Amino acid sequence: MRRVITILVTALSVTIAMAVPANADGLDDVFAKLLVKQVKGTNVAKHLQALQDIATAHGGIRATGTSGYDASRDYVANKLRKAGYKVTRQPINFVESWAENAPPTLALTAPSAKTYLPNEDFFTFQPSPSGEVTAPVQGVDLTLPPTPTPTSTSGCEAADFAGFVAGRIALVQRGTCPFVTKVQNAAAAGATGLIIFNEGQPGRTDAFPLDIGEWRGGIPMVFADFAVGNELASTPGATVHLKVDANLVLGSTDNVIAETRFGDPRNVVMVGAHLDSVTAGPGINDNGSGSAAILEVAEEMALYPVRNKVRFAFWAAEEIGLLGSDQYVGSLSQAQRDRIRVYLNFDMVATPNYAYKLYDGDNSDNVGSPAGPPGSAEIEQQLAAFYGSRGLPTVGTDFDGRSDYGPFIAVGIPAGGIFTGAEGIKTAAEAALFGGTAGVAYDACYHQACDTIANINATALDVDTDAIADSVARYAFNLRSIPPRVAPATSRARFTPPTSAFLDVLTRTGGKDTFR
């Protein structure tokens, strides 16, 4: 019955589109209102129940590399095919297992000899591949002595490696951008090994074990304390023997990408949500909610005669390092990136103790990370206008790099979206705006086994699904508010994660939140 209604509504849509001149204003408004009426929170809830059932049947989780994720992927792909989309499964790799066979080696061999203590002076970067090299060390844009507060951008830009001699071991200082950015820039410059050392301020001197989830540099890599890095940097002609002996096993899974049959392929509106859960639970709010919401929007607008190509992405491996979105963006040519005019991200849109948070595209909050690429402010404003039309308040949320907009922002693609809160604490001001309870977490079940179908706020889910429908429909027909793309980024690191004790703790725990 729903399929028949969709066909009838689509026939009406085509009639409306034919009646309105192609260059007329207001077509986006017509289809946005139509789509908002079509999408239903009850249908999103049915998708969420399906994801819960999948998790229940597969050990309680839907994490990347498990049968629960595979079943979730297949469920989404089948729904999209039935709706009429061109659906592809993009293979992506992830670390299935990693273990050291022996402690790593880091030793100065010239102009004098000195051996550093493994797992004390330095640690292997998990999941470094095995490798052994003896080569000169070359410092990369180091800030020595360190400034009183963290400022190092060593290795964050490809330009930092100008003059780097291929075959040498890169010596890079911690700071500003994700460790993975430094790894990939070093490998691209031809480094045969990588030593990243702590930056040098109080609290940022010691080495410690961490998992950056990144192996694609293909070179042995270690994390050393400040004293080691400073000594190597100040030793003229330093040559080092670096060895990592580890077993790295890669697994493979898939992103699900669905594209409208209609629309200009030179102007792509991309809509994304991560489909995987953590290994601790079924991930129904994080992020079954975002996945189910965009699936409902995709089904209802499948046969709309859109002007701009709309591409829905269900990302794999977000929870272990944004791998699905990162590898997707990395697979695109510059021309293909330039065709993506906006990226809309929906990660946790039904949090129990919710707040309506919009990614701060213009940095009007003036906290944490800077503004997104040109066009991000316009995305935020359009979403805010929808909530305003219903008399609902919104607040900003920082582009802190914790979700799949990160790889898009890194290459200059404007981004925006909705987030209703995770492990953070709801403020009294937010409770006054949105209701709920101040002084406790937005989602007390974040990354836990209790993130089940019972962990969903139906009001937030319904409102946010309407907001998603409104924004997707408007951009599907009208991109005039989005400025033309500017020159591409020279580095994957275009935003600066906030400096805070919180992120320092995350750095030690590894995973997707390993920044600096």
Side-chain angles (χ1 to χ4, degrees):
M1 182 66 179
R2 180 178 176 182
R3 182 65 172 167
V4 172
I5 293 173
T6 300
I7 292 172
L8 292 174
V9 170
T10 302
L12 175 61
S13 301
V14 173
T15 301
I16 295 171
M18 293 176 65
V20 180
N23 60 351
D25 292 330
L27 193 59
D28 54 335
D29 191 56
V30 169
F31 279 99
K33 290 178 179 177
L34 181 62
L35 186 59
V36 168
K37 288 182 179 179
Q38 284 181 257
V39 300
K40 303 295 181 184
T42 52
N43 291 332
V44 183
K46 290 177 183 178
H47 291 314
L48 286 176
Q49 186 61 59
L51 294 176
Q52 176 67 71
D53 292 344
I54 287 170
T56 301
H58 294 272
I61 63 173
R62 301 182 304 102
T64 296
T66 69
S67 58
Y69 178 79
D70 293 346
S72 301
R73 173 201 64 198
D74 294 344
Y75 172 81
V76 167
N78 289 337
K79 289 290 185 182
L80 292 164
R81 287 192 187 95
K82 288 179 182 178
Y85 285 89
K86 178 183 177 181
V87 179
T88 58
R89 284 172 35 176
Q90 181 201 15
I92 67 109
N93 292 320
F94 64 95
V95 177
E96 193 168 87
S97 65
W98 181 88
E100 283 191 286
N101 300 315
T105 299
L106 180 62
L108 183 66
T109 61
S112 59
K114 181 176 181 178
T115 299
Y116 300 103
L117 295 177
N119 302 323
E120 184 174 331
D121 296 331
F122 72 101
F123 292 80
T124 303
F125 262 123
Q126 184 177 342
S128 171
S130 288
E132 184 172 10
V133 59
T134 300
V137 168
Q138 183 170 343
V140 177
D141 191 28
L142 305 178
T143 302
L144 296 175
T147 53
T149 58
T151 60
S152 168
T153 61
S154 171
C156 291
E157 304 285 340
D160 292 347
F161 291 84
F164 185 82
V165 179
R168 291 184 175 177
I169 295 171
L171 181 64
V172 174
Q173 193 172 12
R174 180 188 181 190
T176 299
C177 65
F179 286 117
V180 296
T181 301
K182 300 172 188 280
V183 171
Q184 293 183 342
N185 283 338
T192 53
L194 175 63
I195 303 165
I196 299 180
F197 65 98
N198 214 339
E199 190 171 359
Q201 296 84 11
R204 293 170 70 88
T205 57
D206 294 340
F208 46 84
L210 52 84
D211 179 359
I212 62 172
E214 183 57 61
W215 71 97
R216 283 171 288 170
I219 56 177
M221 50 190 180
V222 297
F223 180 51
D225 63 28
F226 175 76
V228 170
N230 192 47
E231 182 173 20
L232 294 176
S234 61
T235 302
T239 297
V240 161
H241 178 222
L242 172 63
K243 180 181 179 181
V244 172
D245 182 5
N247 287 330
L248 171 63
V249 179
L250 297 181
S252 180
T253 188
D254 305 283
N255 294 324
V256 178
I257 310 293
E259 195 165 87
T260 54
R261 300 284 178 176
F262 306 108
D264 184 352
R266 298 168 298 181
N267 293 295
V268 175
V269 176
M270 194 148 191
V271 186
H274 77 85
L275 186 58
D276 62 318
S277 74
V278 293
T279 56
I284 301 304
N285 184 37
D286 183 18
N287 181 40
S289 62
S291 295
I294 70 169
L295 180 58
E296 162 69 359
V297 170
E299 286 184 304
E300 296 297 344
M301 72 169 294
L303 301 180
Y304 274 30
V306 294
R307 286 182 183 164
N308 307 309
K309 187 74 72 176
V310 182
R311 187 177 300 158
F312 293 90
F314 297 80
W315 304 118
E318 188 267 359
E319 296 288 5
I320 53 176
L322 313 182
L323 297 181
S325 55
D326 188 50
Q327 291 180 42
Y328 173 81
V329 172
S331 73
L332 302 178
S333 67
Q334 187 59 53
Q336 289 170 326
R337 293 174 181 177
D338 288 343
R339 293 177 192 135
I340 300 174
R341 298 291 305 282
V342 295
Y343 173 70
L344 307 176
N345 192 73
F346 303 104
D347 188 351
M348 303 180 67
V349 298
T351 300
N353 194 25
Y354 69 88
Y356 295 127
K357 296 173 177 279
L358 307 181
Y359 291 116
D360 189 13
D362 60 359
N363 196 29
S364 56
D365 290 352
N366 198 32
V367 295
S369 301
S376 301
E378 287 78 1
I379 297 172
E380 181 187 9
Q381 291 162 10
Q382 179 161 287
L383 284 165
F386 173 82
Y387 288 92
S389 72
R390 293 193 173 184
L392 297 172
T394 60
V395 293
T397 187
D398 202 33
F399 277 128
D400 59 9
R402 289 181 63 181
S403 193
D404 291 297
Y405 54 77
F408 290 87
I409 289 176
V411 296
I413 295 171
I418 302 165
F419 172 56
T420 50
E423 80 281 28
I425 303 301
K426 193 170 196 174
T427 66
E430 288 172 335
L433 286 173
F434 306 109
T437 306
V440 300
Y442 303 104
D443 185 354
C445 288
Y446 176 69
H447 283 188
Q448 297 181 45
C450 57
D451 186 11
T452 65
I453 195 71
N455 194 44
I456 293 297
N457 186 292
T459 297
L461 182 68
D462 190 45
V463 170
D464 289 340
T465 300
D466 286 351
I468 294 167
D470 182 81
S471 64
V472 172
R474 290 183 186 281
Y475 285 127
F477 287 93
N478 183 353
L479 284 165
R480 288 192 294 274
S481 67
I482 303 300
R485 286 290 304 278
V486 296
T490 58
S491 165
R492 297 176 69 254
R494 293 284 291 179
F495 62 95
T496 303
T499 300
S500 68
F502 175 63
L503 290 186
D504 282 332
V505 172
L506 292 174
T507 303
R508 294 174 182 267
T509 58
K512 72 176 181 179
D513 298 321
T514 299
F515 290 103
R516 304 167 291 106

